[in-house]
Each structure stands twice: as C-alpha cells, then as structure tokens.
C-alpha cells in the first residue's frame, strides 16, 4: 500500500519548525502536519510571504486542530540563524521536529553576508548552525527528529575541500551538487554523533525527486537562461506536484518505520517521482572520513559545535 498523508500518525501536541515553509515542499509539509494536529512554525526569510502562507494554511490548522506560527529566519546570515534559534528557544523551550527544507538551486556565484558561497551557505552551513543551536530543545523530547532535505543532485555532487567556496573555479550546478551532498553527509554524521552520545533524537534525510517548486523558476530568473525554461517545459510530464514531492520528508519526519540515518525518496523512474520509499545514498556520503572532515570544516566556518 502506498504511503500518503493519510498515513501520517496523529501529531497533536507536537511542535515542528520547517525552514523555507512559505512555498513548495515546505508549504505542503506544513499543510500535512497541521492537518494532523501539529503546531507548525514557518521559518522564513520574508515575513510578508510567510504571512501569506500562514493565511493559506489556516484552514488546514483549523480542521486538524493544529496551529501555524511564524519565525523570521534568514539562513544566509549566521547572525540571523543564531538570533532566530534564541528566539525560538525563548518562545517555546522545546522542539519535536526540525525539517531543514529551505534551499537555493544553481545560482550564479554570490556570497552570503558571512562570505560563504551562497548555495553552500544556505543549503548546508545555515542548516548546520541552526540544527546545532536547536539540538538541546530536541534532546529530551520523545521521537524527536531532524530531517535534512537533499535532492538527486547529491549523486553527482563532490565536496571540493580545496575550494569549498568556489573561489578558484565556480560552476553553479557543481556548487548545488556539493551543497546537496553535504546535506546527506550532515544527516548521516549527525545520526552517528547522536548515537555515540546515547541520544534518542533521529537524524534522517529525504529528497523530493523531480518536483515542481519555485526552485526552477528562481534558478531560471537568476541565470537568464533561454535553454533551461525550454528544458523544464520538455520535462514537464515527469514533474510531480510539490505535494507528492513533500511525501518523502513527511515520511522521514513522522513514519514509525523510518529508521535512524534513513534516506527516503520517490519509488519510481529512478527516484524521480512516486511514493516514498527508502532510496540509495550517494556513495560519496558513505565515506565516514569525508563526513567527519566536512563536519569539522563546518564547525570551523560556523563557529558552533555539538556540545
């Protein structure tokens, strides 16, 4: 039997923080959790857009008994990440689900306020810093989970340790693949470190397959490409909805059968679309030495550590 949003267990009393929740996968994930009774905090860079999403989600919140709230969170800025984490801790003092969903795709080279290549800074380092700052709120919660959302780009990704920020050579798709591979490596290494510390928090990863979201539009707009819009139109029949694309991360976040360090994605057409299932991890992410090296470098860059 296929796993759908109807399969999600009751989430009443649980508190979830979803990054990038004002559109696409994050919005659909919030909608599903609200319908099952969770309180969902939308962690978004733009509060006006978050307000629009909140208005749209009120019906799901009302019908499911959950509640939707907002948190200003710009993952490109470590100062903002730390401020948001502190605000979240002061406001709630607990957390059950952290879904690291926000992301950028295939942008021309830009730098974050902290001087990081933008895709690595937002997709990996911002979430790395946020997760470590919020772990104390998760540590004593039953069935607490951290879900890192990656993509199929992990399979061609490579961590360029000698040029992480693309200063000597920059390819926007290679930078995206690096950041998505980093998401999986982080999820696996976090699970290992939590296990070593005897913590029950689960760390998992998920990818949406080929889903229709704002990522494609943002990438096209940023690059001014004539070819990419044509390619996306030609591939249109393969694209699945954002609601379907959100199912793997919802499975990772809620399914009782999801396993520590598990990685979930669609089950059809080589992981491009379909229902959630356990899927293969990029071979590069299975190298424990490389994962530890990335973790150490990420600690150095974000000046945060796992206590």
């Amino acid at each position: 039997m296929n796993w759908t949003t109807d399969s999600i267990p009751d989430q009443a009393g649980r508190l979830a923080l979803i990054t990038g929740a004002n559109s696409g996968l994050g919005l659909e994930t919030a909608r599903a959790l609200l319908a099952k009774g969770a309180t969902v905090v939308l962690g978004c860079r733009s509060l006006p857009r978050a307000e629009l999403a909140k208005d749209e989600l009120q019906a799901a919140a009302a019908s499911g008994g959950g509640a939707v709230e907002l948190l200003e969170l710009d993952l490109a800025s470590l100062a903002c990440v730390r401020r948001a984490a502190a605000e979240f801790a002061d406001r709630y003092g607990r957390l059950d689900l952290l879904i690291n969903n926000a992301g950028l795709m295939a942008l021309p080279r830009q730098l974050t306020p902290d001087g990081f290549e933008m895709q690595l800074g937002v997709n990996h380092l911002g979430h790395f810093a946020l997760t470590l700052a919020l772990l104390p709120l998760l540590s004593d919660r039953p069935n607490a989970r951290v879900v890192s959302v990656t993509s199929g780009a992990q399979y061609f990704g490579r961590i360029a340790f000698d040029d992480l920020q693309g200063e000597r050579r920059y390819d926007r798709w290679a930078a995206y693949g690096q950041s998505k591979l980093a998401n999986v490596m982080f999820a696996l290494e976090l699970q290992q470190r939590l296990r070593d510390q005897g913590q029950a928090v689960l760390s998992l990863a998920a990818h949406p397959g080929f889903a229709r979201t704002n990522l494609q539009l943002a990438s096209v707009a940023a690059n001014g490409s004539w070819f990419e819009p044509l390619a996306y139109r030609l591939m249109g029949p393969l694209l699945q909805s954002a609601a379907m694309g959100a199912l793997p991360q919802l499975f990772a976040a809620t399914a009782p059968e999801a396993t520590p360090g598990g990685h979930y994605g669609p089950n059809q057409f080589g992981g491009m679309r379909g229902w959630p299932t356990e899927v293969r991890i990029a071979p590069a992410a299975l190298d424990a030495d490389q994962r530890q090296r990335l973790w150490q470098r990420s600690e150095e860059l974000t000046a945060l550590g796992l206590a």
Side-chain angles (χ1 to χ4, degrees):
M1 180 180 294
N2 295 324
W3 196 93
T4 71
T5 53
D6 291 337
S7 309
I8 298 174
D10 180 32
Q11 298 295 300
R14 290 177 66 76
L15 177 65
L17 171 60
I18 307 171
T19 68
N22 60 282
S23 66
L25 304 176
L27 182 66
E28 296 303 328
T29 299
R31 193 190 317 277
L33 292 176
L34 284 164
K36 291 292 184 172
T39 294
V40 176
V41 181
L42 313 181
C44 302
R45 180 176 59 85
S46 169
L47 284 183
R49 292 178 185 172
E51 288 283 0
L52 292 175
K54 180 180 179 181
D55 291 343
E56 179 180 340
L57 291 168
Q58 291 292 1
S63 65
V68 56
E69 301 180 14
L70 306 180
L71 178 71
E72 186 174 14
L73 172 61
D74 183 357
L75 288 159
S77 165
L78 290 178
C80 182
V81 169
R82 292 171 184 140
R83 184 167 59 248
E87 179 183 340
F88 189 94
D90 288 343
R91 193 192 301 179
Y92 302 104
R94 65 182 180 91
L95 179 60
D96 298 291
L97 298 174
L98 173 58
I99 303 180
N100 291 324
N101 164 83
L104 302 171
M105 184 178 77
L107 301 179
R109 189 173 187 272
Q110 304 171 39
L111 299 181
T112 71
D114 301 293
F116 306 140
E117 186 276 314
M118 185 67 73
Q119 295 184 86
L120 184 71
V122 171
N123 296 357
H124 170 58
L125 293 172
H127 282 126
F128 180 92
L130 179 69
T131 302
L132 268 58
L134 293 176
L135 271 179
L137 304 185
L138 291 149
S139 60
D140 62 350
R141 301 294 297 173
N143 197 26
R145 302 187 187 191
V146 177
V147 178
S148 297
V149 180
T150 179
S151 85
Q154 65 176 286
Y155 300 120
F156 63 76
R158 183 182 73 86
I159 307 298
F161 286 106
D162 59 343
D163 191 22
L164 268 180
Q165 311 302 337
E167 296 169 294
R168 294 199 295 274
R169 180 180 179 184
Y170 183 78
D171 177 276
R172 58 194 179 94
W173 284 106
Y176 179 63
Q178 172 177 256
S179 72
K180 294 288 99 180
L181 175 59
N183 292 152
V184 184
M185 294 173 75
F186 169 60
L188 295 179
E189 186 63 20
L190 176 62
Q191 181 60 62
Q192 183 61 54
R193 291 173 183 245
L194 290 167
R195 183 184 291 118
D196 290 347
Q197 293 185 359
Q199 293 201 40
V201 180
L202 300 186
S203 173
L204 312 97
H207 81 77
F210 199 16
R212 194 182 304 277
T213 71
N214 287 345
L215 279 181
Q216 294 97 354
L217 296 176
S219 176
V220 167
N223 290 285
S225 168
W226 65 268
F227 173 75
E228 286 184 19
L230 175 61
Y232 286 131
R233 283 197 295 272
L234 292 174
M235 293 185 290
L238 289 175
L239 285 166
Q240 62 179 0
S241 68
M244 283 294 294
L247 287 179
Q249 61 201 60
L250 284 162
F251 183 95
T254 67
E257 59 267 41
T259 58
H263 179 225
Y264 301 94
N267 66 350
Q268 299 172 10
F269 297 99
M272 295 183 68
R273 58 183 296 135
W275 306 99
T277 189
E278 190 157 15
V279 296
R280 71 184 183 93
I281 295 168
L286 299 175
D287 187 326
D289 290 339
Q290 294 297 295
R291 292 201 309 267
Q292 292 164 16
R293 184 180 180 187
L294 177 63
W295 185 283
Q296 181 178 1
R297 189 71 183 114
S298 300
E299 280 188 333
E300 294 167 354
L301 291 170
T302 61
L304 280 173
L306 181 54

